Amino acid sequence: MSMTFTGQVALVTGGAAGIGRATALAFAAEGLKVVVADLDREGGEGTVQLIRAAGGEALFVTCNVTRDADVQQLLARTVEVYGRLDYAFNNAGIEIEQGRLAEGSEAEFDAIMGVNVKGVWLCMKYQLPLMLAQGGGAIVNTASVAGLGAAPRMSIYSASKHAVIGLTKSAAIEYAKKKVRVNAVCPAVIDTDMFRRAYEADPRKGEFAAAMHPVGRIGKVEEIASAVLYLCSDGAAFTTGQALAVDGGATAI
Ligand SMILES: NC(=O)c1ccc[n+]([C@@H]2O[C@H](COP(=O)([O-])OP(=O)(O)OC[C@H]3O[C@@H](n4cnc5c(N)ncnc54)[C@H](O)[C@@H]3O)[C@@H](O)[C@H]2O)c1
Protein backbone atom coordinates (compact mmCIF):
# COMPACT_ATOMS: atom_id res chain seq x y z
CA MET A 1 0.00 0.00 0.00
CA SER A 2 1.35 3.42 -0.87
CA MET A 3 -0.40 6.63 0.14
CA THR A 4 0.53 10.28 0.13
CA PHE A 5 0.87 12.10 3.46
CA THR A 6 1.59 15.81 3.62
CA GLY A 7 1.98 15.67 7.42
CA GLN A 8 4.74 14.11 9.44
CA VAL A 9 3.43 13.18 12.88
CA ALA A 10 0.70 10.70 13.86
CA LEU A 11 -0.75 9.89 17.29
CA VAL A 12 -2.41 6.56 18.12
CA THR A 13 -4.31 5.95 21.37
CA GLY A 14 -4.73 2.36 22.46
CA GLY A 15 -1.47 1.80 20.57
CA ALA A 16 -0.17 -0.95 22.85
CA ALA A 17 -2.13 -3.75 21.17
CA GLY A 18 -4.50 -4.88 18.47
CA ILE A 19 -5.83 -2.37 15.97
CA GLY A 20 -3.89 0.52 17.53
CA ARG A 21 -0.53 -1.27 17.36
CA ALA A 22 -1.10 -2.34 13.73
CA THR A 23 -2.03 1.23 12.79
CA ALA A 24 0.99 2.71 14.59
CA LEU A 25 3.21 0.29 12.63
CA ALA A 26 1.47 1.21 9.37
CA PHE A 27 1.92 4.97 9.96
CA ALA A 28 5.60 4.40 10.75
CA ALA A 29 6.04 2.29 7.61
CA GLU A 30 4.85 5.34 5.63
CA GLY A 31 7.65 7.39 7.19
CA LEU A 32 5.61 9.20 9.83
CA LYS A 33 6.83 9.81 13.37
CA VAL A 34 4.38 8.09 15.69
CA VAL A 35 3.30 8.86 19.26
CA VAL A 36 1.93 5.69 20.88
CA ALA A 37 -0.38 6.38 23.82
CA ASP A 38 -1.86 3.76 26.14
CA LEU A 39 -2.50 2.80 29.73
CA ASP A 40 -0.36 -0.28 29.13
CA ARG A 41 3.27 0.83 29.30
CA GLU A 42 4.76 -2.58 28.49
CA GLY A 43 2.63 -3.05 25.40
CA GLY A 44 3.12 0.55 24.30
CA GLU A 45 6.89 0.33 24.64
CA GLY A 46 6.65 -2.94 22.70
CA THR A 47 4.98 -1.14 19.81
CA VAL A 48 7.72 1.52 19.87
CA GLN A 49 10.38 -1.21 19.81
CA LEU A 50 8.75 -2.83 16.78
CA ILE A 51 8.69 0.53 14.97
CA ARG A 52 12.33 1.26 15.80
CA ALA A 53 13.39 -2.24 14.77
CA ALA A 54 11.84 -1.56 11.36
CA GLY A 55 13.80 1.73 11.06
CA GLY A 56 11.00 4.09 12.12
CA GLU A 57 10.70 6.79 14.76
CA ALA A 58 8.26 6.55 17.68
CA LEU A 59 7.65 7.65 21.25
CA PHE A 60 5.50 6.07 23.97
CA VAL A 61 3.45 8.22 26.37
CA THR A 62 1.46 6.70 29.24
CA CYS A 63 -2.04 8.09 29.08
CA ASN A 64 -5.43 7.29 30.51
CA VAL A 65 -7.73 8.85 27.91
CA THR A 66 -10.47 9.33 30.50
CA ARG A 67 -8.33 11.90 32.37
CA ASP A 68 -8.20 15.47 31.15
CA ALA A 69 -4.74 16.07 32.63
CA ASP A 70 -3.32 12.92 30.99
CA VAL A 71 -4.64 13.88 27.56
CA GLN A 72 -3.32 17.44 27.89
CA GLN A 73 0.05 16.04 28.88
CA LEU A 74 -0.01 13.63 25.92
CA LEU A 75 -0.51 16.44 23.44
CA ALA A 76 2.06 18.66 25.19
CA ARG A 77 4.62 15.85 24.96
CA THR A 78 3.79 15.28 21.29
CA VAL A 79 4.50 18.93 20.48
CA GLU A 80 7.55 19.02 22.73
CA VAL A 81 9.18 16.05 21.01
CA TYR A 82 7.93 16.24 17.40
CA GLY A 83 6.80 19.86 17.14
CA ARG A 84 3.34 19.21 15.64
CA LEU A 85 0.43 16.79 15.21
CA ASP A 86 -0.92 15.99 11.76
CA TYR A 87 -2.97 12.81 12.22
CA ALA A 88 -4.71 11.39 15.27
CA PHE A 89 -6.23 7.93 15.59
CA ASN A 90 -8.44 7.94 18.70
CA ASN A 91 -8.77 4.24 19.14
CA ALA A 92 -8.50 3.34 22.85
CA GLY A 93 -11.65 1.50 23.79
CA ILE A 94 -13.04 -1.19 26.06
CA GLU A 95 -15.74 -3.77 25.69
CA ILE A 96 -17.48 -5.52 28.57
CA GLU A 97 -20.12 -8.13 27.87
CA GLN A 98 -23.08 -6.84 29.83
CA GLY A 99 -25.85 -9.35 29.34
CA ARG A 100 -29.21 -7.91 28.38
CA LEU A 101 -29.77 -4.22 29.01
CA ALA A 102 -31.49 -4.66 32.39
CA GLU A 103 -28.58 -6.79 33.62
CA GLY A 104 -25.92 -4.12 33.11
CA SER A 105 -24.53 -2.19 36.07
CA GLU A 106 -23.90 1.48 36.67
CA ALA A 107 -20.19 0.73 37.02
CA GLU A 108 -20.14 -0.92 33.57
CA PHE A 109 -21.99 2.02 32.06
CA ASP A 110 -19.56 4.55 33.54
CA ALA A 111 -16.49 2.53 32.57
CA ILE A 112 -17.52 1.96 28.96
CA MET A 113 -18.79 5.49 28.38
CA GLY A 114 -15.71 6.89 30.13
CA VAL A 115 -13.15 5.30 27.82
CA ASN A 116 -15.11 5.04 24.58
CA VAL A 117 -16.92 8.39 24.59
CA LYS A 118 -15.27 10.78 27.05
CA GLY A 119 -11.85 9.51 25.96
CA VAL A 120 -12.51 10.27 22.28
CA TRP A 121 -14.06 13.65 23.17
CA LEU A 122 -11.12 14.66 25.38
CA CYS A 123 -8.59 13.63 22.74
CA MET A 124 -10.35 15.63 20.03
CA LYS A 125 -10.78 18.58 22.41
CA TYR A 126 -7.00 18.92 22.73
CA GLN A 127 -6.01 17.77 19.23
CA LEU A 128 -8.22 20.16 17.29
CA PRO A 129 -6.60 23.41 18.54
CA LEU A 130 -3.17 22.07 17.55
CA MET A 131 -4.36 21.14 14.07
CA LEU A 132 -6.19 24.45 13.64
CA ALA A 133 -3.08 26.39 14.64
CA GLN A 134 -1.08 24.45 12.04
CA GLY A 135 -3.66 25.00 9.30
CA GLY A 136 -4.97 21.44 9.02
CA GLY A 137 -4.94 17.80 9.99
CA ALA A 138 -7.00 14.64 10.04
CA ILE A 139 -8.62 12.69 12.87
CA VAL A 140 -9.98 9.15 12.75
CA ASN A 141 -11.97 7.76 15.68
CA THR A 142 -12.60 4.07 16.25
CA ALA A 143 -16.31 3.37 16.35
CA SER A 144 -17.62 -0.09 15.43
CA VAL A 145 -20.38 -1.75 13.45
CA ALA A 146 -21.98 -1.68 16.92
CA GLY A 147 -22.15 2.09 16.38
CA LEU A 148 -24.20 1.62 13.20
CA GLY A 149 -26.80 -0.82 14.48
CA ALA A 150 -27.84 -3.05 17.34
CA ALA A 151 -25.38 -5.13 19.31
CA PRO A 152 -27.34 -7.56 21.50
CA ARG A 153 -25.84 -8.05 24.96
CA MET A 154 -23.58 -5.09 24.33
CA SER A 155 -26.12 -2.27 24.54
CA ILE A 156 -23.87 0.11 26.48
CA TYR A 157 -20.96 -0.58 24.13
CA SER A 158 -23.29 -0.04 21.17
CA ALA A 159 -24.49 3.27 22.65
CA SER A 160 -20.89 4.34 23.23
CA LYS A 161 -19.96 3.65 19.61
CA HIS A 162 -23.05 5.45 18.29
CA ALA A 163 -21.83 8.39 20.41
CA VAL A 164 -18.38 8.21 18.80
CA ILE A 165 -20.05 8.63 15.41
CA GLY A 166 -22.05 11.61 16.75
CA LEU A 167 -18.88 13.29 17.99
CA THR A 168 -17.16 12.53 14.69
CA LYS A 169 -19.88 13.96 12.46
CA SER A 170 -20.42 17.06 14.58
CA ALA A 171 -16.71 17.88 14.75
CA ALA A 172 -16.36 17.22 11.00
CA ILE A 173 -18.97 19.85 10.22
CA GLU A 174 -17.65 22.35 12.75
CA TYR A 175 -14.12 22.24 11.35
CA ALA A 176 -14.72 21.39 7.68
CA LYS A 177 -13.70 24.83 6.42
CA LYS A 178 -10.60 24.83 8.63
CA LYS A 179 -8.98 21.94 6.73
CA VAL A 180 -9.36 19.47 9.59
CA ARG A 181 -11.13 16.29 8.51
CA VAL A 182 -12.77 13.98 11.06
CA ASN A 183 -13.93 10.46 10.19
CA ALA A 184 -14.68 7.22 12.00
CA VAL A 185 -13.78 3.66 11.16
CA CYS A 186 -16.32 0.96 12.04
CA PRO A 187 -14.75 -2.49 12.32
CA ALA A 188 -16.82 -5.64 12.57
CA VAL A 189 -15.17 -8.52 14.46
CA ILE A 190 -11.39 -8.23 14.25
CA ASP A 191 -8.88 -10.77 15.48
CA THR A 192 -7.42 -9.00 18.54
CA ASP A 193 -7.05 -9.66 22.27
CA MET A 194 -10.43 -7.97 22.71
CA PHE A 195 -12.01 -10.51 20.35
CA ARG A 196 -10.20 -13.44 21.97
CA ARG A 197 -11.26 -12.38 25.46
CA ALA A 198 -14.86 -12.26 24.33
CA TYR A 199 -14.93 -15.51 22.36
CA GLU A 200 -12.21 -17.78 23.79
CA ALA A 201 -14.46 -19.24 26.47
CA ASP A 202 -16.96 -20.51 23.91
CA PRO A 203 -15.65 -21.77 20.55
CA ARG A 204 -19.18 -21.67 19.09
CA LYS A 205 -18.96 -17.91 19.35
CA GLY A 206 -15.90 -18.02 17.06
CA GLU A 207 -17.86 -19.88 14.40
CA PHE A 208 -20.76 -17.50 14.83
CA ALA A 209 -18.41 -14.53 14.48
CA ALA A 210 -17.01 -15.83 11.19
CA ALA A 211 -20.48 -16.57 9.85
CA MET A 212 -21.81 -13.06 10.51
CA HIS A 213 -19.43 -11.68 7.87
CA PRO A 214 -20.44 -12.41 4.25
CA VAL A 215 -16.74 -12.89 3.39
CA GLY A 216 -16.80 -15.90 5.79
CA ARG A 217 -14.11 -14.84 8.23
CA ILE A 218 -13.32 -12.24 10.86
CA GLY A 219 -11.06 -9.29 10.00
CA LYS A 220 -7.34 -8.66 10.48
CA VAL A 221 -5.90 -5.67 12.33
CA GLU A 222 -3.97 -4.65 9.19
CA GLU A 223 -7.29 -4.35 7.34
CA ILE A 224 -8.40 -1.65 9.79
CA ALA A 225 -4.99 0.05 9.74
CA SER A 226 -5.13 0.47 5.96
CA ALA A 227 -8.58 2.09 6.19
CA VAL A 228 -7.33 4.50 8.87
CA LEU A 229 -4.32 5.45 6.76
CA TYR A 230 -6.54 6.01 3.74
CA LEU A 231 -8.82 8.33 5.77
CA CYS A 232 -5.77 10.33 6.92
CA SER A 233 -4.12 10.42 3.49
CA ASP A 234 -4.33 13.19 0.92
CA GLY A 235 -6.38 10.78 -1.20
CA ALA A 236 -9.28 11.29 1.24
CA ALA A 237 -9.12 15.11 1.05
CA PHE A 238 -12.84 15.28 0.11
CA THR A 239 -13.94 12.79 2.77
CA THR A 240 -15.08 14.05 6.16
CA GLY A 241 -17.83 13.19 8.65
CA GLN A 242 -17.99 9.58 7.46
CA ALA A 243 -18.37 6.38 9.46
CA LEU A 244 -16.62 3.84 7.25
CA ALA A 245 -17.64 0.24 7.88
CA VAL A 246 -14.73 -2.16 7.40
CA ASP A 247 -16.70 -5.28 8.03
CA GLY A 248 -16.46 -8.03 5.42
CA GLY A 249 -19.91 -7.03 4.20
CA ALA A 250 -21.61 -7.47 7.58
CA THR A 251 -23.65 -4.25 7.45
CA ALA A 252 -24.63 -4.75 3.80
CA ILE A 253 -26.93 -7.66 4.65
N1 LIG B 1 -11.57 -6.21 18.05
C1 LIG B 1 -12.77 -5.99 17.54
O1 LIG B 1 -13.44 -6.92 17.10
C2 LIG B 1 -13.31 -4.59 17.45
C3 LIG B 1 -14.45 -4.39 16.66
C4 LIG B 1 -14.98 -3.11 16.54
C5 LIG B 1 -14.36 -2.06 17.22
N2 LIG B 1 -13.27 -2.29 17.99
C6 LIG B 1 -12.68 -1.14 18.67
O2 LIG B 1 -11.33 -1.01 18.27
C7 LIG B 1 -10.58 -0.35 19.28
C8 LIG B 1 -9.32 -1.13 19.56
O3 LIG B 1 -9.70 -2.40 20.04
P1 LIG B 1 -8.79 -3.71 19.95
O4 LIG B 1 -9.64 -4.79 19.45
O5 LIG B 1 -7.50 -3.40 19.27
O6 LIG B 1 -8.63 -3.94 21.52
P2 LIG B 1 -7.41 -4.23 22.47
O7 LIG B 1 -8.00 -4.53 23.79
O8 LIG B 1 -6.48 -5.21 21.84
O9 LIG B 1 -6.68 -2.80 22.51
C9 LIG B 1 -7.24 -1.69 23.14
C10 LIG B 1 -6.13 -0.84 23.74
O10 LIG B 1 -6.73 0.30 24.39
C11 LIG B 1 -6.03 0.50 25.62
N3 LIG B 1 -6.88 1.22 26.58
C12 LIG B 1 -8.01 0.77 27.20
N4 LIG B 1 -8.47 1.72 28.04
C13 LIG B 1 -7.64 2.79 27.92
C14 LIG B 1 -7.59 4.07 28.53
N5 LIG B 1 -8.49 4.45 29.44
N6 LIG B 1 -6.60 4.93 28.15
C15 LIG B 1 -5.67 4.56 27.24
N7 LIG B 1 -5.65 3.35 26.64
C16 LIG B 1 -6.62 2.48 26.98
C17 LIG B 1 -5.71 -0.92 26.10
O11 LIG B 1 -4.67 -0.90 27.07
C18 LIG B 1 -5.33 -1.60 24.80
O12 LIG B 1 -3.95 -1.48 24.53
C19 LIG B 1 -11.53 -0.18 20.46
O13 LIG B 1 -12.06 1.14 20.45
C20 LIG B 1 -12.63 -1.18 20.17
O14 LIG B 1 -13.85 -0.83 20.77
C21 LIG B 1 -12.72 -3.52 18.12
Side-chain angles (χ1 to χ4, degrees):
M1 178 182 63
S2 176
M3 297 189 194
T4 311
F5 294 95
T6 310
Q8 301 139 34
V9 181
L11 163 66
V12 177
T13 73
I19 292 167
R21 172 177 278 183
T23 307
L25 290 169
F27 273 129
E30 293 291 330
L32 295 163
K33 295 165 189 155
V34 183
V35 179
V36 176
D38 207 292
L39 271 178
D40 173 4
R41 168 170 284 280
E42 200 183 325
E45 294 284 12
T47 302
V48 167
Q49 291 309 320
L50 288 170
I51 289 173
R52 290 189 184 144
E57 207 174 327
L59 163 78
F60 173 70
V61 181
T62 309
C63 175
N64 181 343
V65 295
T66 67
R67 295 211 185 121
D68 187 290
D70 276 27
V71 177
Q72 284 200 58
Q73 195 260 339
L74 167 65
L75 275 309
R77 188 92 180 102
T78 301
V79 173
E80 182 187 312
V81 176
Y82 292 137
R84 55 188 294 119
L85 175 67
D86 300 291
Y87 310 113
F89 180 38
N90 298 319
N91 162 76
I94 58 169
E95 182 190 273
I96 303 167
E97 194 169 340
Q98 307 127 44
R100 293 198 175 90
L101 189 141
E103 291 150 13
S105 70
E106 184 182 17
E108 285 168 344
F109 186 93
D110 289 344
I112 294 169
M113 288 294 179
V115 181
N116 296 5
V117 185
K118 183 183 174 192
V120 168
W121 173 74
L122 272 177
C123 286
M124 287 206 289
K125 175 176 166 60
Y126 292 111
Q127 291 158 356
L128 284 161
L130 289 179
M131 292 181 177
L132 293 172
Q134 287 166 197
I139 295 173
V140 178
N141 299 319
T142 303
S144 166
V145 293
L148 297 169
R153 295 183 173 272
M154 295 200 303
S155 58
I156 305 169
Y157 181 81
S158 174
S160 76
K161 295 302 189 179
H162 277 75
V164 169
I165 294 174
L167 291 171
T168 300
K169 290 186 174 183
S170 302
I173 302 310
E174 289 175 1
Y175 298 99
K177 287 209 169 60
K178 305 279 188 192
K179 296 192 167 44
V180 178
R181 297 183 299 99
V182 188
N183 290 289
V185 69
C186 301
V189 182
I190 308 299
D191 190 4
T192 65
D193 290 348
M194 182 181 278
F195 164 75
R196 289 190 201 126
R197 279 194 298 272
Y199 290 93
E200 217 162 44
D202 184 352
R204 285 170 306 174
K205 286 186 176 173
E207 287 164 34
F208 173 74
M212 69 181 261
H213 304 83
V215 297
R217 63 169 175 86
I218 64 170
K220 302 174 188 157
V221 287
E222 294 79 10
E223 291 167 333
I224 305 305
S226 59
V228 175
L229 263 67
Y230 162 68
L231 289 170
C232 289
S233 75
D234 297 350
F238 200 48
T239 302
T240 196
Q242 296 305 301
L244 176 64
V246 183
D247 66 351
T251 55
I253 300 170

